[in-house]
Amino acid sequence: MKNEKMPTQKKKPVPVAKLTPAHECTKKKDVMKGGDVFADCSFTSLGLHPGLCEQLKGSRLPTYRFVLLNLVAYFFFQIEGIFGWFSAERLGFEVPTQVQAQAIPVVLTGRHVLVNAATGTGKTIAYLAPIIHQLQKIDPRIQRSDGTFALVIVPTRELCMQVYEILQKLLHRFHWIVPGYIMGGENRSKEKARLRKGISILVGTPGRLLDHLKNTSSFSHANLRWMVFDEADRILELGFGKDIEEILDTLCTRKDGSVDGKRQNLLLSATLNEKVNRLAKISLENPVMLGLGERLTQLETMVEQTGSLKSVNNEDLGDASIVEHSTDFRLPVQLIQTYAKVPCGSRLAILLSVLKHLFEKEGSNKIVVFFSTCDSVDFHYKLLSEFCWAPYEQLVGESKQKFLRCKTFRLHGNMEQEDRKTTFQSFKTEKSALLLSTDVSARGLDIPKVRCIIQYDSPGEATEYVHRVGRTARLDKRGDSLLFLQPVEIDYLKDLEKHGVKLTEYPLMKVLDSFPLYGKKFHAKNFVTLDAHPWVLSLQNALESFVSTEANINKLAKNTYCSWIRAYTAHRGELKSIFMVKKLHLGHVAKSFALKEQPSLVVKSLQRQGKKRKRDQRQKGLIKKRKVIIRT
Ligand SMILES: Nc1ncnc2c1ncn2[C@@H]1O[C@H](COP(=O)(O)OP(=O)(O)OP(=O)(O)O)[C@@H](O)[C@H]1O
């Protein structure tokens, strides 16, 4: 097959969506900022098929009559199809969200679209519903042997499953449209078999998709009409840029070399970065851009002034037009964002105290804590699962109890695929639980009732901050977030401010003071620093003696310490000046893993690494003669 780049790499006009009546219900509000999440119109008014609207609306629970009919159909006539039809769990959405009201009519026109809207505002339905609408219209009905018509590319496996599950629900009334998924970690031959049978709408992660495009000859995609990049920026950040270009090259050319004019590509994310510009340029032709705030308004003004869409083109807007004005990130307005300035050596004790406080205060709570490495997730998971403590044992004869009495889960990329699936599903259904995770959970995941996000290890790029906190305060629900920063990292707040993200200080001292201090002489008011707080001191002591006596956890703590430092050195660009290993007190870092002192081997290996880096730089002529001091 001939691999040709899409001709869309040429500069193209960038028109704006002409607002249809359906848009008008949303026109006056700042659609994607999350101010008012729902639109003043119905799904039907957006032009969607009545069956699809029914599936979107309706009750989440099947009615008594439906259940009865199910049973009759199943037991007397053995008709599973009808059983499936009646038991179809509908989504229960009364009205579209703003982003859906804006995007659905535009996607229905067949135009390429770029959507930038706050987290949790319903972007998934905004692209799935119009695709299903168009597919069900095709006459004669599409068949499995026609192969894949729509491809949804997502960055993570969990997101892949999530989109697939929504797709299944939406397709209950359209049994001839077959949903499917392919992703890393799954059995390739089973996927091949499913692809051979035919999948109409396929959700996949980029690596596995490319794998099948190259190696599964029975994967039929000649009829492909839609390509969706959900969380487009993340796909690129994960280093899938080359894969995506290869995928585009393979899919966007027909055997005879002519480009399929019916192709429609959609890019969506709550955050856009300069990398998306490139993807947008090579994949979007004449795109409509939704939710780009001032940019969209500016475009509309230009259109009004010139009276013509065609006069607005890339030259007028400059190359960075797509992302320039999206540097102010869109966060749900109801989200309460806080930070806590925590001395390095007390980080662990303070994290545990905050968690204890949150679970005891609320009774039931659902919290996600983000860590920078898989090791760190494992270490904290083990610690929280096993650590028992009785702070007032000697005074009131208290017996040791588990420090945190909530269900705890962990999720990261080094876990077995099956464990990842069960963890994710279990945490979703729990009413009160704690999830410890890496950034694998940061993007797109829709976990009901998450009330608080704690970023224990800082996220790095501001985009990641936005997506992590976006796991709470979804749609119009309440949500809190807490960012842990060490005193030396406090400038990170300024970096967030550059993107319009402002945080207030978390009342940490108040929380620590809320724990009873039996027999302690000092009154809380006398304490100046957090690390001198008696509660923190005794908890830290208890943690250190626990970790020193448990061989397994001690080893894990040491490994985690090393990988945490490695991750810390990996911050890029401007962030390097905020997150600098040489500014850290490594003895205090060790304390944050409940180690009494820093493991000696680590220091040696760090020194070796430092020397090697210096040598390499000298060889490349990059060295500035300066002394790198790693404080110990
Ligand atoms: N019209 C609607 N009415 C009520 N709930 C809706 C509606 N549309 C979507 N939802 C619900 O809103 C939640 C968020 O939707 P979705 O995951 O699509 O958001 P998103 O914008 O893609 O978020 P993210 O940027 O984090 O990926 C989901 O629980 C979904 O079921």
Side-chain angles (χ1 to χ4, degrees), residues 38 43 60 91-97 99-100 117-125 159 162 166 230-231 269-270 442-446 467 470-471 474-475:
F38 294 101
F43 281 110
R60 281 174 192 271
L91 287 136
F93 301 162
E94 289 308 319
V95 290
T97 62
V99 65
Q100 291 159 0
T119 49
T121 48
K123 292 187 284 296
T124 318
I125 299 291
L159 188 53
Q162 184 177 295
I166 298 169
D230 196 350
E231 306 290 349
S269 185
R443 288 284 182 145
L445 295 193
D446 186 51
H467 287 279
R471 298 317 101 209
R474 294 179 72 72
L475 222 50

mmCIF file of all heavy atoms in Angstrom, residues 38 43 60 91-97 99-100 117-125 159 162 166 230-231 269-270 442-446 467 470-471 474-475, ligand 1:
data_model
loop_
_atom_site.group_PDB
_atom_site.id
_atom_site.type_symbol
_atom_site.label_atom_id
_atom_site.label_comp_id
_atom_site.label_asym_id
_atom_site.label_seq_id
_atom_site.Cartn_x
_atom_site.Cartn_y
_atom_site.Cartn_z
ATOM 1 N N PHE A 38 -25.093 22.609 31.844
ATOM 2 C CA PHE A 38 -26.126 22.079 30.951
ATOM 3 C C PHE A 38 -26.669 23.141 29.997
ATOM 4 O O PHE A 38 -26.698 24.326 30.314
ATOM 5 C CB PHE A 38 -27.265 21.469 31.778
ATOM 6 C CG PHE A 38 -26.805 20.261 32.547
ATOM 7 C CD1 PHE A 38 -26.515 20.349 33.898
ATOM 8 C CD2 PHE A 38 -26.623 19.041 31.911
ATOM 9 C CE1 PHE A 38 -26.063 19.244 34.603
ATOM 10 C CE2 PHE A 38 -26.165 17.926 32.598
ATOM 11 C CZ PHE A 38 -25.887 18.035 33.960
ATOM 12 N N PHE A 43 -31.864 16.785 23.507
ATOM 13 C CA PHE A 43 -31.055 16.006 22.568
ATOM 14 C C PHE A 43 -31.738 15.954 21.202
ATOM 15 O O PHE A 43 -31.073 16.008 20.169
ATOM 16 C CB PHE A 43 -30.833 14.582 23.097
ATOM 17 C CG PHE A 43 -29.766 14.498 24.158
ATOM 18 C CD1 PHE A 43 -30.089 14.234 25.481
ATOM 19 C CD2 PHE A 43 -28.431 14.686 23.839
ATOM 20 C CE1 PHE A 43 -29.110 14.160 26.451
ATOM 21 C CE2 PHE A 43 -27.437 14.616 24.805
ATOM 22 C CZ PHE A 43 -27.785 14.348 26.117
ATOM 23 N N ARG A 60 -32.248 5.280 34.542
ATOM 24 C CA ARG A 60 -31.105 4.393 34.634
ATOM 25 C C ARG A 60 -31.542 2.980 34.988
ATOM 26 O O ARG A 60 -30.902 2.016 34.671
ATOM 27 C CB ARG A 60 -30.146 4.881 35.724
ATOM 28 C CG ARG A 60 -29.298 6.024 35.260
ATOM 29 C CD ARG A 60 -28.499 6.554 36.405
ATOM 30 N NE ARG A 60 -27.886 7.832 36.040
ATOM 31 C CZ ARG A 60 -26.703 7.942 35.465
ATOM 32 N NH1 ARG A 60 -26.010 6.898 35.208
ATOM 33 N NH2 ARG A 60 -26.217 9.127 35.166
ATOM 34 N N LEU A 91 -28.782 5.901 29.709
ATOM 35 C CA LEU A 91 -27.810 6.739 30.415
ATOM 36 C C LEU A 91 -28.433 7.723 31.403
ATOM 37 O O LEU A 91 -27.760 8.200 32.309
ATOM 38 C CB LEU A 91 -26.939 7.468 29.386
ATOM 39 C CG LEU A 91 -25.956 6.494 28.728
ATOM 40 C CD1 LEU A 91 -25.881 6.690 27.240
ATOM 41 C CD2 LEU A 91 -24.594 6.618 29.347
ATOM 42 N N GLY A 92 -29.687 8.037 31.230
ATOM 43 C CA GLY A 92 -30.365 8.899 32.195
ATOM 44 C C GLY A 92 -30.002 10.366 32.096
ATOM 45 O O GLY A 92 -30.072 11.101 33.077
ATOM 46 N N PHE A 93 -29.613 10.818 30.911
ATOM 47 C CA PHE A 93 -29.268 12.228 30.738
ATOM 48 C C PHE A 93 -30.507 12.993 30.285
ATOM 49 O O PHE A 93 -31.047 12.729 29.214
ATOM 50 C CB PHE A 93 -28.172 12.405 29.672
ATOM 51 C CG PHE A 93 -26.890 11.677 29.962
ATOM 52 C CD1 PHE A 93 -25.969 11.445 28.949
ATOM 53 C CD2 PHE A 93 -26.583 11.240 31.246
ATOM 54 C CE1 PHE A 93 -24.773 10.782 29.211
ATOM 55 C CE2 PHE A 93 -25.399 10.568 31.518
ATOM 56 C CZ PHE A 93 -24.495 10.339 30.496
ATOM 57 N N GLU A 94 -30.930 13.964 31.066
ATOM 58 C CA GLU A 94 -32.150 14.707 30.718
ATOM 59 C C GLU A 94 -31.911 15.650 29.538
ATOM 60 O O GLU A 94 -32.674 15.681 28.586
ATOM 61 C CB GLU A 94 -32.644 15.507 31.938
ATOM 62 C CG GLU A 94 -33.237 14.635 33.043
ATOM 63 C CD GLU A 94 -34.318 13.689 32.531
ATOM 64 O OE1 GLU A 94 -35.146 14.122 31.694
ATOM 65 O OE2 GLU A 94 -34.316 12.510 32.935
ATOM 66 N N VAL A 95 -30.872 16.441 29.653
ATOM 67 C CA VAL A 95 -30.564 17.419 28.599
ATOM 68 C C VAL A 95 -29.079 17.340 28.257
ATOM 69 O O VAL A 95 -28.288 16.838 29.054
ATOM 70 C CB VAL A 95 -30.885 18.869 29.055
ATOM 71 C CG1 VAL A 95 -32.368 19.113 29.173
ATOM 72 C CG2 VAL A 95 -30.164 19.199 30.353
ATOM 73 N N PRO A 96 -28.699 17.836 27.087
ATOM 74 C CA PRO A 96 -27.270 17.818 26.757
ATOM 75 C C PRO A 96 -26.479 18.799 27.619
ATOM 76 O O PRO A 96 -27.046 19.767 28.133
ATOM 77 C CB PRO A 96 -27.231 18.262 25.299
ATOM 78 C CG PRO A 96 -28.601 18.610 24.905
ATOM 79 C CD PRO A 96 -29.532 18.426 26.035
ATOM 80 N N THR A 97 -25.208 18.539 27.733
ATOM 81 C CA THR A 97 -24.337 19.531 28.378
ATOM 82 C C THR A 97 -24.030 20.605 27.328
ATOM 83 O O THR A 97 -24.308 20.422 26.142
ATOM 84 C CB THR A 97 -23.016 18.889 28.852
ATOM 85 O OG1 THR A 97 -22.329 18.391 27.710
ATOM 86 C CG2 THR A 97 -23.246 17.780 29.843
ATOM 87 N N VAL A 99 -21.171 21.517 26.087
ATOM 88 C CA VAL A 99 -20.231 21.072 25.054
ATOM 89 C C VAL A 99 -20.931 20.154 24.053
ATOM 90 O O VAL A 99 -20.678 20.215 22.844
ATOM 91 C CB VAL A 99 -18.960 20.425 25.663
ATOM 92 C CG1 VAL A 99 -19.246 19.152 26.408
ATOM 93 C CG2 VAL A 99 -17.940 20.129 24.588
ATOM 94 N N GLN A 100 -21.875 19.342 24.542
ATOM 95 C CA GLN A 100 -22.609 18.470 23.622
ATOM 96 C C GLN A 100 -23.509 19.285 22.703
ATOM 97 O O GLN A 100 -23.580 19.038 21.499
ATOM 98 C CB GLN A 100 -23.437 17.448 24.417
ATOM 99 C CG GLN A 100 -22.553 16.429 25.133
ATOM 100 C CD GLN A 100 -23.214 15.735 26.299
ATOM 101 O OE1 GLN A 100 -24.371 15.983 26.624
ATOM 102 N NE2 GLN A 100 -22.469 14.858 26.966
ATOM 103 N N ALA A 117 -12.619 21.666 26.081
ATOM 104 C CA ALA A 117 -13.622 21.939 27.115
ATOM 105 C C ALA A 117 -13.155 21.378 28.444
ATOM 106 O O ALA A 117 -12.379 20.419 28.478
ATOM 107 C CB ALA A 117 -14.943 21.303 26.717
ATOM 108 N N ALA A 118 -13.649 21.968 29.529
ATOM 109 C CA ALA A 118 -13.202 21.577 30.873
ATOM 110 C C ALA A 118 -13.401 20.084 31.108
ATOM 111 O O ALA A 118 -14.218 19.448 30.443
ATOM 112 C CB ALA A 118 -13.977 22.370 31.925
ATOM 113 N N THR A 119 -12.651 19.554 32.073
ATOM 114 C CA THR A 119 -12.785 18.132 32.408
ATOM 115 C C THR A 119 -14.201 17.857 32.925
ATOM 116 O O THR A 119 -14.811 18.718 33.554
ATOM 117 C CB THR A 119 -11.781 17.758 33.523
ATOM 118 O OG1 THR A 119 -11.898 18.719 34.573
ATOM 119 C CG2 THR A 119 -10.369 17.732 33.015
ATOM 120 N N GLY A 120 -14.690 16.685 32.619
ATOM 121 C CA GLY A 120 -15.990 16.250 33.145
ATOM 122 C C GLY A 120 -17.175 16.993 32.589
ATOM 123 O O GLY A 120 -18.210 17.118 33.251
ATOM 124 N N THR A 121 -17.084 17.515 31.369
ATOM 125 C CA THR A 121 -18.222 18.258 30.814
ATOM 126 C C THR A 121 -18.965 17.451 29.737
ATOM 127 O O THR A 121 -19.839 17.969 29.069
ATOM 128 C CB THR A 121 -17.755 19.611 30.210
ATOM 129 O OG1 THR A 121 -16.628 19.368 29.367
ATOM 130 C CG2 THR A 121 -17.378 20.602 31.282
ATOM 131 N N GLY A 122 -18.586 16.202 29.542
ATOM 132 C CA GLY A 122 -19.345 15.330 28.646
ATOM 133 C C GLY A 122 -18.837 15.270 27.216
ATOM 134 O O GLY A 122 -19.615 15.092 26.271
ATOM 135 N N LYS A 123 -17.518 15.339 27.043
ATOM 136 C CA LYS A 123 -16.952 15.327 25.686
ATOM 137 C C LYS A 123 -17.155 13.976 24.994
ATOM 138 O O LYS A 123 -17.275 13.921 23.774
ATOM 139 C CB LYS A 123 -15.453 15.682 25.728
ATOM 140 C CG LYS A 123 -15.195 17.132 26.128
ATOM 141 C CD LYS A 123 -13.738 17.513 26.001
ATOM 142 C CE LYS A 123 -12.855 16.989 27.100
ATOM 143 N NZ LYS A 123 -13.152 17.496 28.446
ATOM 144 N N THR A 124 -17.206 12.886 25.776
ATOM 145 C CA THR A 124 -17.312 11.554 25.151
ATOM 146 C C THR A 124 -18.593 11.427 24.322
ATOM 147 O O THR A 124 -18.565 10.991 23.172
ATOM 148 C CB THR A 124 -17.273 10.468 26.255
ATOM 149 O OG1 THR A 124 -16.282 10.824 27.200
ATOM 150 C CG2 THR A 124 -16.976 9.108 25.675
ATOM 151 N N ILE A 125 -19.711 11.838 24.915
ATOM 152 C CA ILE A 125 -20.985 11.758 24.185
ATOM 153 C C ILE A 125 -20.969 12.741 23.012
ATOM 154 O O ILE A 125 -21.569 12.486 21.969
ATOM 155 C CB ILE A 125 -22.177 12.087 25.131
ATOM 156 C CG1 ILE A 125 -22.235 11.094 26.289
ATOM 157 C CG2 ILE A 125 -23.505 12.155 24.381
ATOM 158 C CD1 ILE A 125 -22.615 9.686 25.923
ATOM 159 N N LEU A 159 -9.109 4.228 29.969
ATOM 160 C CA LEU A 159 -9.976 5.123 29.209
ATOM 161 C C LEU A 159 -10.590 4.374 28.025
ATOM 162 O O LEU A 159 -11.750 4.583 27.655
ATOM 163 C CB LEU A 159 -9.179 6.346 28.737
ATOM 164 C CG LEU A 159 -9.980 7.466 28.089
ATOM 165 C CD1 LEU A 159 -11.128 7.922 28.962
ATOM 166 C CD2 LEU A 159 -9.088 8.661 27.770
ATOM 167 N N GLN A 162 -13.449 2.463 29.298
ATOM 168 C CA GLN A 162 -14.536 3.371 29.676
ATOM 169 C C GLN A 162 -15.328 3.825 28.444
ATOM 170 O O GLN A 162 -16.557 3.794 28.442
ATOM 171 C CB GLN A 162 -13.929 4.578 30.389
ATOM 172 C CG GLN A 162 -14.953 5.545 30.925
ATOM 173 C CD GLN A 162 -14.265 6.665 31.680
ATOM 174 O OE1 GLN A 162 -13.633 6.442 32.708
ATOM 175 N NE2 GLN A 162 -14.366 7.875 31.184
ATOM 176 N N ILE A 166 -19.384 2.964 27.381
ATOM 177 C CA ILE A 166 -20.404 3.966 27.032
ATOM 178 C C ILE A 166 -20.963 3.642 25.648
ATOM 179 O O ILE A 166 -22.179 3.703 25.414
ATOM 180 C CB ILE A 166 -19.797 5.389 27.057
ATOM 181 C CG1 ILE A 166 -19.307 5.725 28.462
ATOM 182 C CG2 ILE A 166 -20.812 6.432 26.589
ATOM 183 C CD1 ILE A 166 -18.462 6.963 28.562
ATOM 184 N N ASP A 230 -9.147 11.267 21.413
ATOM 185 C CA ASP A 230 -9.638 11.730 22.715
ATOM 186 C C ASP A 230 -8.407 11.921 23.598
ATOM 187 O O ASP A 230 -7.546 11.050 23.651
ATOM 188 C CB ASP A 230 -10.582 10.671 23.308
ATOM 189 C CG ASP A 230 -11.428 11.231 24.440
ATOM 190 O OD1 ASP A 230 -11.142 12.365 24.879
ATOM 191 O OD2 ASP A 230 -12.369 10.553 24.878
ATOM 192 N N GLU A 231 -8.329 13.048 24.304
ATOM 193 C CA GLU A 231 -7.132 13.410 25.080
ATOM 194 C C GLU A 231 -5.935 13.494 24.133
ATOM 195 O O GLU A 231 -4.863 12.914 24.378
ATOM 196 C CB GLU A 231 -6.845 12.386 26.190
ATOM 197 C CG GLU A 231 -7.992 12.114 27.133
ATOM 198 C CD GLU A 231 -8.316 13.281 28.056
ATOM 199 O OE1 GLU A 231 -7.512 14.237 28.108
ATOM 200 O OE2 GLU A 231 -9.376 13.249 28.691
ATOM 201 N N SER A 269 -9.727 17.598 23.970
ATOM 202 C CA SER A 269 -9.005 17.573 25.241
ATOM 203 C C SER A 269 -9.400 18.783 26.086
ATOM 204 O O SER A 269 -9.891 19.776 25.563
ATOM 205 C CB SER A 269 -7.496 17.614 25.024
ATOM 206 O OG SER A 269 -6.856 17.480 26.280
ATOM 207 N N ALA A 270 -9.181 18.652 27.398
ATOM 208 C CA ALA A 270 -9.431 19.795 28.275
ATOM 209 C C ALA A 270 -8.227 20.729 28.246
ATOM 210 O O ALA A 270 -8.294 21.872 28.670
ATOM 211 C CB ALA A 270 -9.692 19.314 29.693
ATOM 212 N N ALA A 442 -4.935 9.812 35.550
ATOM 213 C CA ALA A 442 -5.153 11.257 35.481
ATOM 214 C C ALA A 442 -6.040 11.690 34.320
ATOM 215 O O ALA A 442 -6.697 12.712 34.382
ATOM 216 C CB ALA A 442 -3.810 11.973 35.399
ATOM 217 N N ARG A 443 -6.044 10.893 33.258
ATOM 218 C CA ARG A 443 -6.727 11.352 32.049
ATOM 219 C C ARG A 443 -8.061 10.674 31.788
ATOM 220 O O ARG A 443 -8.143 9.449 31.742
ATOM 221 C CB ARG A 443 -5.839 11.072 30.848
ATOM 222 C CG ARG A 443 -4.657 11.983 30.782
ATOM 223 C CD ARG A 443 -5.073 13.339 30.303
ATOM 224 N NE ARG A 443 -3.925 14.215 30.198
ATOM 225 C CZ ARG A 443 -3.811 15.132 29.260
ATOM 226 N NH1 ARG A 443 -4.731 15.305 28.361
ATOM 227 N NH2 ARG A 443 -2.766 15.926 29.238
ATOM 228 N N GLY A 444 -9.074 11.484 31.626
ATOM 229 C CA GLY A 444 -10.347 11.025 31.071
ATOM 230 C C GLY A 444 -11.182 10.107 31.934
ATOM 231 O O GLY A 444 -12.349 9.896 31.642
ATOM 232 N N LEU A 445 -10.594 9.530 32.996
ATOM 233 C CA LEU A 445 -11.365 8.535 33.727
ATOM 234 C C LEU A 445 -12.514 9.187 34.476
ATOM 235 O O LEU A 445 -12.360 10.225 35.112
ATOM 236 C CB LEU A 445 -10.480 7.759 34.697
ATOM 237 C CG LEU A 445 -9.400 6.904 34.061
ATOM 238 C CD1 LEU A 445 -8.806 5.945 35.067
ATOM 239 C CD2 LEU A 445 -9.954 6.112 32.868
ATOM 240 N N ASP A 446 -13.659 8.542 34.361
ATOM 241 C CA ASP A 446 -14.865 9.074 34.972
ATOM 242 C C ASP A 446 -15.236 8.161 36.139
ATOM 243 O O ASP A 446 -15.859 7.127 35.943
ATOM 244 C CB ASP A 446 -15.967 9.092 33.906
ATOM 245 C CG ASP A 446 -17.209 9.770 34.420
ATOM 246 O OD1 ASP A 446 -17.097 10.893 34.932
ATOM 247 O OD2 ASP A 446 -18.294 9.162 34.346
ATOM 248 N N HIS A 467 -5.686 17.844 34.604
ATOM 249 C CA HIS A 467 -6.357 16.558 34.397
ATOM 250 C C HIS A 467 -6.488 15.770 35.696
ATOM 251 O O HIS A 467 -7.496 15.110 35.917
ATOM 252 C CB HIS A 467 -5.630 15.740 33.336
ATOM 253 C CG HIS A 467 -5.855 16.309 31.969
ATOM 254 N ND1 HIS A 467 -6.999 16.062 31.251
ATOM 255 C CD2 HIS A 467 -5.120 17.149 31.226
ATOM 256 C CE1 HIS A 467 -6.931 16.717 30.107
ATOM 257 N NE2 HIS A 467 -5.805 17.388 30.067
ATOM 258 N N GLY A 470 -9.191 17.150 37.599
ATOM 259 C CA GLY A 470 -10.419 16.922 36.830
ATOM 260 C C GLY A 470 -11.105 15.602 37.127
ATOM 261 O O GLY A 470 -12.197 15.336 36.646
ATOM 262 N N ARG A 471 -10.481 14.746 37.945
ATOM 263 C CA ARG A 471 -11.157 13.491 38.326
ATOM 264 C C ARG A 471 -12.218 13.757 39.380
ATOM 265 O O ARG A 471 -12.984 12.881 39.723
ATOM 266 C CB ARG A 471 -10.158 12.439 38.862
ATOM 267 C CG ARG A 471 -9.086 11.953 37.912
ATOM 268 C CD ARG A 471 -9.578 11.664 36.537
ATOM 269 N NE ARG A 471 -9.257 12.762 35.657
ATOM 270 C CZ ARG A 471 -9.988 13.091 34.577
ATOM 271 N NH1 ARG A 471 -11.059 12.425 34.279
ATOM 272 N NH2 ARG A 471 -9.644 14.105 33.815
ATOM 273 N N ARG A 474 -16.805 16.697 38.715
ATOM 274 C CA ARG A 474 -17.212 16.433 37.339
ATOM 275 C C ARG A 474 -18.652 16.850 37.125
ATOM 276 O O ARG A 474 -19.475 16.754 38.011
ATOM 277 C CB ARG A 474 -16.990 14.961 36.994
ATOM 278 C CG ARG A 474 -15.491 14.637 37.012
ATOM 279 C CD ARG A 474 -15.188 13.230 36.704
ATOM 280 N NE ARG A 474 -15.381 12.845 35.310
ATOM 281 C CZ ARG A 474 -14.606 13.216 34.319
ATOM 282 N NH1 ARG A 474 -13.595 14.030 34.540
ATOM 283 N NH2 ARG A 474 -14.838 12.787 33.096
ATOM 284 N N LEU A 475 -18.914 17.326 35.936
ATOM 285 C CA LEU A 475 -20.226 17.856 35.556
ATOM 286 C C LEU A 475 -20.569 19.001 36.503
ATOM 287 O O LEU A 475 -19.877 19.982 36.491
ATOM 288 C CB LEU A 475 -21.240 16.714 35.574
ATOM 289 C CG LEU A 475 -22.226 16.679 34.419
ATOM 290 C CD1 LEU A 475 -21.526 16.782 33.093
ATOM 291 C CD2 LEU A 475 -23.079 15.439 34.458
HETATM 292 N N1 LIG B 1 -25.949 15.258 29.097
HETATM 293 C C1 LIG B 1 -25.502 14.731 30.224
HETATM 294 N N2 LIG B 1 -26.261 14.763 31.332
HETATM 295 C C2 LIG B 1 -25.825 14.228 32.492
HETATM 296 N N3 LIG B 1 -24.623 13.623 32.647
HETATM 297 C C3 LIG B 1 -23.818 13.581 31.563
HETATM 298 C C4 LIG B 1 -24.210 14.111 30.310
HETATM 299 N N4 LIG B 1 -23.193 13.899 29.443
HETATM 300 C C5 LIG B 1 -22.220 13.267 30.103
HETATM 301 N N5 LIG B 1 -22.583 13.061 31.389
HETATM 302 C C6 LIG B 1 -21.789 12.444 32.450
HETATM 303 O O1 LIG B 1 -20.763 13.381 32.780
HETATM 304 C C7 LIG B 1 -19.587 12.719 33.200
HETATM 305 C C8 LIG B 1 -18.385 13.278 32.456
HETATM 306 O O2 LIG B 1 -18.438 12.946 31.085
HETATM 307 P P1 LIG B 1 -17.125 12.647 30.217
HETATM 308 O O3 LIG B 1 -16.310 11.596 30.888
HETATM 309 O O4 LIG B 1 -17.532 12.440 28.830
HETATM 310 O O5 LIG B 1 -16.385 14.048 30.392
HETATM 311 P P2 LIG B 1 -15.103 14.603 29.655
HETATM 312 O O6 LIG B 1 -15.408 16.008 29.278
HETATM 313 O O7 LIG B 1 -14.681 13.676 28.581
HETATM 314 O O8 LIG B 1 -14.041 14.595 30.838
HETATM 315 P P3 LIG B 1 -12.426 14.472 30.759
HETATM 316 O O9 LIG B 1 -11.914 15.744 30.156
HETATM 317 O O10 LIG B 1 -12.014 14.295 32.175
HETATM 318 O O11 LIG B 1 -12.134 13.293 29.913
HETATM 319 C C9 LIG B 1 -19.853 11.231 32.956
HETATM 320 O O12 LIG B 1 -20.212 10.635 34.189
HETATM 321 C C10 LIG B 1 -21.026 11.198 32.030
HETATM 322 O O13 LIG B 1 -21.806 10.038 32.216
#
